[in-house]
Amino acid sequence: MTLKELCARIALQQPMIDKMEATKAEMDLSVYSEEIDRLAHRESMQDAYEKLKDILGTDEGNMKMFVCQMEAARRLYDRYQQMGIADEIFDETMKCFTRFAEECYEKTGSYYFDRGWWSYRQVGMSLFRIGVLEYEFIELDGEKVLSMHIPSDSNMKNENVAASLHQAKAFMAEFFPEYADVRMYCHSWLLAPKLQELLPETSNIVKFQKRFTLTQSSYEGNDCVLWVFKAPSDTDVHDLREDTSLQRKIKALMLEGGSVGYGAGFITDLN
């Protein structure tokens, strides 16, 4: 697979393609090849990312890191094929790059790369998108678990979530049997108990919450601003958009001095 083919598969925005190509033309990728290869392995991905940051130096818009991670994703495709993992899983997992670029544009009006500290997980085969959810291999207090993440473009209808959960169980059983029967964990503002006070029982968010038994929760903090309002977390509350009912309810809560907080726990209902 070429980088051009990868860009087409993940529907990367043309401005990002243009920036990537311009940056790549000024780089000698052979200098970074060893660390790029190490990015594509779970046991070395984080160390490789940190070393690349040091080696790359000044990196406007983090585009040199973007080139390296895209190159690692390109190389990784062969391993997906060797393992027999479906192209759909590869494509949807690597569309994180497209999604992150779009989120940057929505926040600032410019396309750039601000999530290299996260996307090495996708490149390192530590995180996979399966349906509407992402699943990451982690250890929590010495226990292997699957950490669930909710991409910003997910349609969280109950049937979509159920399908993803069952597909993930089958995927793990086939390709990563050591994770086939582990517990599924989530830490997110979407699990904040406060949301049940703001949203009706029919809400997709409330239905998602009811799948979990929480082990931790807080009514403090508004990390949700970035995801709900597509705005920097330090945006003045008065300037936050009110396009959706969720935005209006959370903004009203924040104007009164309240906050959404977060929740964390394990899933107990796959259906």
Side-chain angles (χ1 to χ4, degrees):
M1 178 190 294
T2 65
L3 273 178
K4 183 177 180 180
E5 289 170 337
L6 175 59
C7 291
R9 293 180 76 106
I10 67 174
L12 189 66
Q13 301 90 341
Q14 191 61 48
M16 285 296 286
I17 294 174
D18 294 342
K19 288 186 176 184
M20 180 187 72
E21 290 179 343
T23 302
K24 183 174 178 288
E26 298 177 354
M27 297 173 67
D28 178 359
L29 283 185
S30 66
V31 174
Y32 315 106
S33 188
E34 180 180 351
E35 298 307 329
I36 289 172
D37 281 339
R38 293 177 70 241
L39 269 179
H41 294 274
R42 200 190 327 166
E43 64 275 10
S44 56
M45 61 185 186
Q46 184 173 3
D47 183 63
Y49 167 71
E50 297 295 340
K51 287 187 175 178
L52 273 173
K53 278 202 307 180
D54 291 338
I55 297 169
L56 292 171
T58 302
D59 190 5
E60 184 176 355
N62 300 305
M63 289 307 299
K64 287 191 273 188
M65 180 62 77
F66 184 76
V67 169
C68 289
Q69 293 201 7
M70 285 286 286
E71 172 63 15
R74 183 194 71 77
R75 298 181 187 183
L76 179 65
Y77 179 68
D78 285 344
R79 188 152 21 121
Y80 266 72
Q81 288 200 310
Q82 290 164 8
M83 292 179 66
I85 299 175
D87 281 0
E88 180 183 6
I89 300 294
F90 177 85
D91 294 346
E92 293 303 312
T93 299
M94 298 309 159
K95 281 180 182 176
C96 67
F97 292 108
T98 310
R99 186 172 72 251
F100 295 156
E102 193 63 31
E103 288 168 1
C104 286
Y105 183 78
E106 289 175 343
K107 283 186 299 180
T108 67
S110 298
Y111 284 107
Y112 60 97
F113 185 50
D114 70 346
R115 226 70 60 86
W117 56 272
W118 181 261
S119 52
Y120 68 73
R121 294 164 171 83
Q122 281 90 339
V123 173
M125 294 188 78
S126 182
L127 187 156
F128 298 88
R129 181 161 184 173
I130 304 171
V132 295
L133 298 171
E134 293 177 324
Y135 302 85
E136 181 185 5
F137 302 134
I138 68 167
E139 283 200 9
L140 194 64
D141 297 327
E143 175 189 358
K144 286 183 178 179
V145 303
L146 286 173
S147 181
M148 299 167 53
H149 307 288
I150 304 94
S152 60
D153 62 352
S154 290
N155 182 331
M156 294 293 286
K157 287 184 178 179
N158 201 49
E159 57 267 31
N160 294 343
V161 172
S164 174
L165 293 170
H166 286 285
Q167 289 164 10
K169 292 284 286 185
F171 175 84
M172 297 303 162
E174 182 173 1
F175 299 108
F176 300 96
E178 67 273 29
Y179 283 91
D181 297 312
V182 302
R183 294 196 291 171
M184 294 182 177
Y185 172 83
C186 186
H187 182 295
S188 173
W189 67 271
L190 284 166
L191 294 183
K194 186 69 178 179
L195 292 174
Q196 294 197 28
E197 302 174 21
L198 302 178
L199 300 171
E201 288 285 319
T202 55
S203 161
N204 288 330
I205 292 176
V206 172
K207 290 179 181 179
F208 182 69
Q209 288 192 353
K210 290 185 180 299
R211 294 177 178 275
F212 290 82
T213 297
L214 296 187
T215 57
Q216 187 180 5
S217 64
S218 173
Y219 285 81
E220 301 297 323
N222 283 309
D223 292 343
C224 65
V225 168
L226 176 63
W227 311 111
V228 175
F229 299 96
K230 305 296 177 65
S233 56
D234 59 354
T235 301
D236 188 293
V237 177
H238 295 86
D239 295 332
L240 294 174
R241 65 184 71 180
E242 300 181 41
D243 300 332
T244 69
S245 60
L246 180 60
Q247 288 174 345
R248 291 190 289 273
K249 288 177 180 180
I250 292 179
K251 181 174 179 177
L253 173 68
M254 294 174 64
L255 285 170
E256 294 173 357
S259 57
V260 171
Y262 69 89
F266 293 92
I267 199 162
T268 52
D269 182 5
L270 294 179
N271 299 309

